[in-house]
Amino acid sequence: MFHCKTFASFRAIAGGLALSLALAAGAAAETRLRMTIWSANEAHLKLFNGIAEGFKKENPDVTVSFESLPFENYTTALTTQIAGGNAPDMAWIFETAAFDFVNSGALLPLTKPLAATPGYNLGELSPAATERWSKEGVLYAYPFSTSPFAVFVNNDLIRKAGAKTPAELIAAGQWTWPQAIATAQAVAQTGKGGLVVRDFNYQAWQYLSSVWNAWGAAPWSADGKRCTLADKPMVDALGFIHDAIFVKKAMPGPGQNVDFFAGDAAMTITQISRASLLPKDKRFDWDLVPLPKGPTGDYAIVGQAGIGVLQSGKNPAAAAAFVAYMTNPENSARLAQFFPSARKSLLNAEVLGKTNALLSPAQLDRVVVAGIATGKVMPAHTDFARLQQMVRAGLDAVWQPKADIPAATRAICAQIAPLLAQ
Amino acid sequence: MARRSVSAAEPPPAAPRPFWTIARRDTAAGFLFVAPQLAGTLVFMLVPLVLVFWYSLHEWNVLANTFRYTGARNYELLSSDPSLPGVLLASALFSAGLVVLNMSLALLLAVLLNQKLAGIAVFRTLFFSPVVVSLVAWTIVWGFLLQHNGGINGTLRLLGIEGPNWLRTPATAMLSVIVVQVFKNVGLNMVLFLAALQGVPRELYEAARIDGATRWRQFRRITLPLISPTILLTSIITIVGSLQVFAQIAVLTQGGPGVSTTVLVYYLYQQTFQFHRFGYGSTLAILLFAIVALLTLAQWQLRKRFVFHER
């Protein structure tokens, strides 16, 4: 009896082991891909998961999952994963980190796998959109989001302050930076916030390019070798911003938090994807207008995000196939409701309007289509994180009421010049 | 040479001594009890320490996936890093400010709360409670209070005072970070001081009073010497803790304004995780380790001068 029981137990264990091994073998045949993203937005995830399900229908042995990492420390978290030997198969990459990722060889070249995908039509991507993600003519990451900066407006607050709305100023041909700040100042005098450059927060100074580009200013020369922070356009632009903050009180000062989307500010400069933050219950009369005209005329600034395949991932070939599927013309059209595409065929108000319920055709045309067509991409450089930190520390001297802007910018240039020259 | 007499009947050979004697069992049991702690120390402290030293001799580019031996190059970079003097100064300022404020306030509170009064336990709990609050939650709340238009300046405005921009002015940013940290941890040192104060024999004070000693003289001549072991312990804990400050800086100032609050651990974090300089970051970690080890050693040596039972 005892022996029978023991034998039966052994058989059960052996059977269990065999089943486990069979399952493990089955699991080994399945390819699991992981993509890191910086959005945890429910609607975004629903869209991505829908695309991943579509890919699985065509490739039953491949499962794709999305891992949301915090926006603020996204690149840090991503590189720590890579350092720990746990690199994701695919990753979103900020435009500011593009040079580091593309030049280091961390990314799989994508031109061949994308071009070889039937119906992909890689040629319709504009060279301006792919410039930052390419090296020697080879594309290393797909610019899946090309999102222009624009001004969201709270018309209720502006009318209450007795000022003209930006739409009225545009109609009168007066939508300029001095006028925008005058409007913001009028609202600020009522106790509400004036104009907020979203995400700047006196830390991420690169977002100020949405303002200083109006003066033709840039932190460094086009070839990235020379610091231009102390040049006249930048000093003039910083002087204008400083005056708006500390004299006119038209922009929130350092340490002041004002949220436009909570109805607390007249205007905010941000990307159109933030339209999803507009309040559903405490609604206000809002508008979306292009950036005001500056001393050098009309201008636009674009934020980009790329999708790259990590060489150190476990399945680079399968990951490249998924990127090709995720960014094909059909899926690009779906993604465009949140992330404006760099595909020419999708860059018109009619197509964008199908997936952007919040924005009117006029808003899409004058802000999104025109912005992408003419916009400059946010500043970036190899070793950007170090440069960002050095410039951030130096600009703290500018964000004081009695700042000596020329001296402060000269000091920054002296600090970053060796790094730029490398 | 005298020969030992051999009896006709040989005694039976002694039974072999068992290996697991009581002494050996006790030793083995002792090792088994400390084994988890030893394993933890080995895996989470000693091995990483050796690895960090190894990394500090390399240039590790995470993105390019290269790991190149560079010998002492990172140490040469350390000696010529133009940012390092400012970083060390900020660390020293933070540590000095924290140790002085924390220890004096903790001792003052302990003396005040070392009374037999009704409801004194409530006050002790009140001052200790921040110690058990999540550090990041505590710091975020203080971040709101210290904003230019935050709670502290709002209160000052009610009194007709225009407060400074606490976290954005170099002069007040470091002070703010220190004060936030002092209020967070003063309760721990206070409890340690309180325990030490309650261990001081009452009769010494009675004898001193009979001899006509003032309260201040009693404090200097009896209390301080008798609680000196606790002062040594708390000073070591506080100084070592102050050199490891990170969350408060990351949440409140991100090292600014300028680099005025960029302390060594925050600088190490920036170099390693933000700038991807893992080799140089490891060199900074070795520097931090050396500083902490030296300070602890110095304090330990000083105990002979300041701790009463070591003299």
Side-chain angles (χ1 to χ4, degrees):
Chain A
M1 189 69 178
F2 174 80
H3 286 290
C4 281
K5 270 189 176 172
T6 312
F7 184 65
S9 304
F10 274 127
R11 275 204 316 191
I13 292 167
L17 276 173
L19 185 65
S20 307
L21 285 171
L23 285 173
E30 187 186 15
T31 303
R32 291 179 176 275
L33 299 177
R34 181 168 59 96
M35 179 187 279
T36 52
I37 58 178
W38 56 71
S39 170
N41 184 295
E42 204 177 324
H44 292 177
L45 287 171
K46 195 177 164 190
L47 174 63
F48 299 144
N49 286 326
I51 292 173
E53 278 167 25
F55 185 70
K56 194 170 176 62
K57 276 182 193 156
E58 293 180 14
N59 304 272
D61 55 340
V62 183
T63 305
V64 182
S65 62
F66 298 91
E67 183 186 355
S68 301
L69 300 175
F71 178 83
E72 297 76 20
N73 300 313
Y74 177 81
T75 306
T76 302
L78 174 60
T79 49
T80 307
Q81 284 195 4
I82 298 170
N86 182 34
D89 298 284
M90 303 145 293
W92 284 11
I93 300 162
F94 281 114
E95 73 280 85
T96 48
F99 289 123
D100 284 333
F101 276 83
V102 170
N103 293 332
S104 65
L107 302 175
L108 186 82
L110 285 178
T111 303
K112 278 185 186 170
L114 296 185
T117 305
Y120 193 82
N121 197 8
L122 184 60
E124 73 162 328
L125 291 179
S126 69
T130 56
E131 186 190 355
R132 188 161 294 189
W133 310 95
S134 305
K135 188 179 158 190
E136 292 161 5
V138 177
L139 188 70
Y140 283 86
Y142 177 90
F144 79 98
S145 177
T146 303
S147 187
F149 284 80
V151 185
F152 280 90
V153 182
N154 185 330
N155 284 331
D156 289 342
L157 288 185
I158 292 172
R159 287 197 195 98
K160 209 171 156 187
K164 279 185 184 174
T165 64
E168 289 163 351
L169 290 168
I170 289 170
Q174 296 171 345
W175 183 230
T176 61
W177 266 108
Q179 278 295 343
I181 290 299
T183 306
Q185 187 182 11
V187 175
Q189 281 166 356
T190 66
K192 289 285 187 179
L195 186 143
V196 183
V197 179
R198 198 174 167 88
D199 297 321
F200 159 51
N201 213 15
Y202 294 87
Q203 297 283 339
W205 53 263
Q206 60 271 27
Y207 287 98
L208 282 183
S209 53
S210 58
V211 183
W212 67 42
N213 272 33
W215 277 255
W220 38 74
S221 55
D223 64 359
K225 297 280 183 197
R226 191 177 70 81
C227 174
T228 54
L229 277 160
D231 290 6
K232 191 174 182 305
M234 182 59 84
V235 172
D236 288 350
L238 287 176
F240 180 84
I241 297 168
H242 187 274
D243 184 66
I245 296 166
F246 293 100
V247 180
K248 298 194 168 80
K249 313 276 184 196
M251 294 169 79
Q256 289 180 325
N257 278 349
V258 182
D259 185 5
F260 170 86
F261 294 101
D264 293 335
M267 291 172 275
T268 189
I269 298 177
T270 189
Q271 287 162 290
I272 61 153
S273 54
R274 301 300 177 96
S276 60
L277 296 174
L278 285 161
K280 309 276 185 295
D281 43 358
K282 285 175 72 178
R283 290 164 190 264
F284 52 79
D285 177 20
W286 67 274
D287 197 1
L288 182 75
V289 296
L291 295 166
K293 193 181 279 190
T296 54
D298 288 321
Y299 71 106
I301 185 107
V302 176
Q304 273 195 333
I307 299 177
V309 172
L310 274 301
Q311 295 264 31
S312 48
K314 291 181 187 72
N315 300 292
F322 178 70
V323 171
Y325 177 81
M326 186 177 186
T327 59
N328 67 23
E330 296 77 42
N331 286 326
S332 289
R334 292 168 73 189
L335 286 169
Q337 65 179 294
F338 300 111
F339 311 104
S341 175
R343 287 180 177 275
K344 285 174 192 161
S345 61
L346 298 176
L347 265 184
N348 59 70
E350 192 190 340
V351 173
L352 286 169
K354 284 179 189 166
T355 48
N356 280 283
L358 282 168
L359 305 181
S360 68
Q363 287 172 329
L364 287 167
D365 207 34
R366 73 184 176 200
V367 177
V368 185
V369 178
I372 294 173
T374 61
K376 279 188 178 174
V377 185
M378 282 228 288
H381 200 280
T382 306
D383 224 348
F384 182 77
R386 267 173 94 184
L387 285 164
Q388 205 285 343
Q389 165 59 20
M390 289 161 107
V391 175
R392 195 278 304 154
L395 281 177
D396 279 344
V398 171
W399 313 131
Q400 304 293 334
K402 291 176 183 168
D404 182 349
I405 295 170
T409 49
R410 278 198 301 272
I412 301 172
C413 278
Q415 261 216 314
I416 68 170
L419 206 56
L420 293 179
Q422 277 176 17
Chain B
M1 185 178 279
R3 298 181 73 189
R4 286 173 66 195
S5 64
V6 177
S7 64
E10 287 282 340
R17 214 172 155 209
F19 180 77
W20 284 112
T21 59
I22 291 175
R24 279 188 171 148
R25 279 181 196 205
D26 284 352
T27 310
F31 273 116
L32 280 175
F33 274 115
V34 296
Q37 176 68 29
L38 277 179
T41 308
L42 188 74
V43 173
F44 295 110
M45 288 183 69
L46 295 178
V47 171
L49 196 63
V50 173
L51 282 177
V52 163
F53 180 69
W54 179 243
Y55 295 154
S56 76
L57 302 175
H58 291 77
E59 187 184 291
W60 182 4
N61 187 331
V62 175
L63 292 180
N65 201 19
T66 55
F67 190 70
R68 197 162 51 86
Y69 180 75
T70 53
R73 180 161 159 67
N74 282 326
Y75 290 89
E76 287 165 18
L77 283 176
L78 188 75
S79 60
S80 59
D81 185 344
S83 305
L84 197 60
V87 169
L88 292 177
L89 179 67
S91 297
L93 278 175
F94 181 83
S95 294
L98 184 74
V99 170
V100 171
L101 273 178
N102 187 325
M103 304 254 314
S104 352
L105 188 62
L107 191 55
L108 179 69
L109 286 172
V111 170
L112 291 176
L113 296 177
N114 189 28
Q115 316 285 335
K116 283 182 181 164
L117 296 172
I120 200 79
V122 175
F123 285 100
R124 287 176 187 169
T125 311
L126 203 67
F127 286 114
F128 186 75
S129 56
V131 176
V132 294
V133 172
S134 149
L135 174 62
V136 173
W138 173 264
T139 313
I140 288 173
V141 170
W142 271 97
F144 288 129
L145 291 174
L146 287 164
Q147 274 180 12
H148 193 39
N149 53 352
I152 290 174
N153 280 353
T155 311
L156 288 175
R157 221 165 281 133
L158 289 177
L159 303 170
I161 303 167
E162 191 54 44
N165 198 348
W166 297 98
L167 297 173
R168 302 292 311 184
T169 310
T172 53
M174 180 59 91
L175 181 70
S176 305
V177 177
I178 291 171
V179 168
V180 169
Q181 177 66 358
V182 166
F183 287 157
K184 173 77 179 72
N185 275 346
V186 73
L188 185 65
N189 284 351
M190 179 199 78
V191 165
L192 293 172
F193 281 135
L194 203 54
L197 287 173
Q198 289 177 354
V200 179
R202 298 288 104 189
E203 54 268 29
L204 292 179
Y205 292 112
E206 284 169 21
R209 268 200 301 276
I210 291 164
D211 288 344
T214 60
R215 294 288 289 262
W216 173 241
R217 202 171 175 82
Q218 288 173 40
F219 181 74
R220 273 186 56 216
R221 297 293 181 187
I222 300 171
T223 311
L224 274 184
L226 287 183
I227 66 166
S228 53
T230 308
I231 294 176
L232 176 75
L233 171 76
T234 49
S235 65
I236 291 177
I237 293 174
T238 312
I239 288 181
V240 171
S242 71
L243 287 167
Q244 295 170 348
V245 64
F246 174 75
Q248 298 88 325
I249 303 288
V251 173
L252 291 176
T253 63
Q254 290 92 46
V259 288
S260 61
T261 59
T262 304
V263 294
L264 191 50
V265 175
Y266 193 74
Y267 187 60
L268 188 161
Y269 163 76
Q270 282 183 327
Q271 293 290 331
T272 312
F273 296 104
Q274 291 186 331
F275 308 160
H276 317 138
R277 301 174 80 196
F278 283 75
Y280 187 60
S282 301
T283 314
L284 288 166
I286 295 289
L287 174 69
L288 176 66
F289 177 78
I291 292 172
V292 171
L294 272 175
L295 281 174
T296 311
L297 197 68
Q299 283 175 303
W300 193 245
Q301 290 303 316
L302 284 173
R303 80 191 190 281
K304 288 175 184 156
R305 287 186 61 188
F306 296 111
V307 177
F308 78 96
H309 58 61
E310 297 278 351
R311 289 179 202 172

